[in-house]
Amino acid sequence: KVLPACLLLALLLLAPALSAQNERGLVFNLDIGELCLQSGQCKSGCCHRVNGLSLARCAPKAAEFQECSPKHIYQVYYKCPCERGLTCDADKTIVGSITNSNFGVCKDPQDSSRR
């Protein structure tokens, strides 16, 4: 009987978000500054935390020349991934991911004059 109650609660929470895809929801389509658990919940596509003890909040993606993190499966970032069309020139090794040192800078891959 606990499982159906949990399922009902989940459906009640998700229904407003799923019914209004272009409007802000309780779980998805969150605005900058709202609490999040993963980047898929944020309109911006970045769920950001300042440090390991802080709460994660939706934040704008990194612009050109700003610090960034490569996209990863956890989807909570200390530095947001780059805006569309930019690449994060960073350490993409497993060691960089584990030690949380895989930060880089957003660059335009089409702009060869700045390389």
Side-chain angles (χ1 to χ4, degrees), residues 28-34 36 38-48 57-62 71 75 77 80-84:
F28 295 103
N29 217 13
L30 301 176
D31 290 320
I32 303 294
E34 293 190 276
C36 55
Q38 66 169 346
S39 293
Q41 294 177 279
C42 304
K43 285 181 187 177
S44 67
C46 178
C47 186
H48 171 266
R57 295 182 179 273
C58 294
K61 285 195 172 181
K71 290 188 178 183
Q75 293 196 6
Y77 299 96
C80 286
C82 299
E83 294 174 339
R84 187 178 194 158

Side-chain angles (χ1 to χ4, degrees), residues 33-101:
E34 293 190 276
L35 294 173
C36 55
L37 296 174
Q38 66 169 346
S39 293
Q41 294 177 279
C42 304
K43 285 181 187 177
S44 67
C46 178
C47 186
H48 171 266
R49 67 179 340 138
V50 177
N51 59 49
L53 300 176
S54 65
L55 295 173
R57 295 182 179 273
C58 294
K61 285 195 172 181
E64 191 170 11
F65 306 117
Q66 288 184 333
E67 281 191 297
C68 58
S69 290
K71 290 188 178 183
H72 59 74
I73 60 171
Y74 303 118
Q75 293 196 6
V76 177
Y77 299 96
Y78 290 101
K79 306 286 182 187
C80 286
C82 299
E83 294 174 339
R84 187 178 194 158
L86 301 175
T87 58
C88 188
D89 186 18
D91 174 14
K92 294 181 178 148
T93 64
I94 190 73
V95 174
S97 296
I98 292 170
T99 61
N100 198 29
S101 63

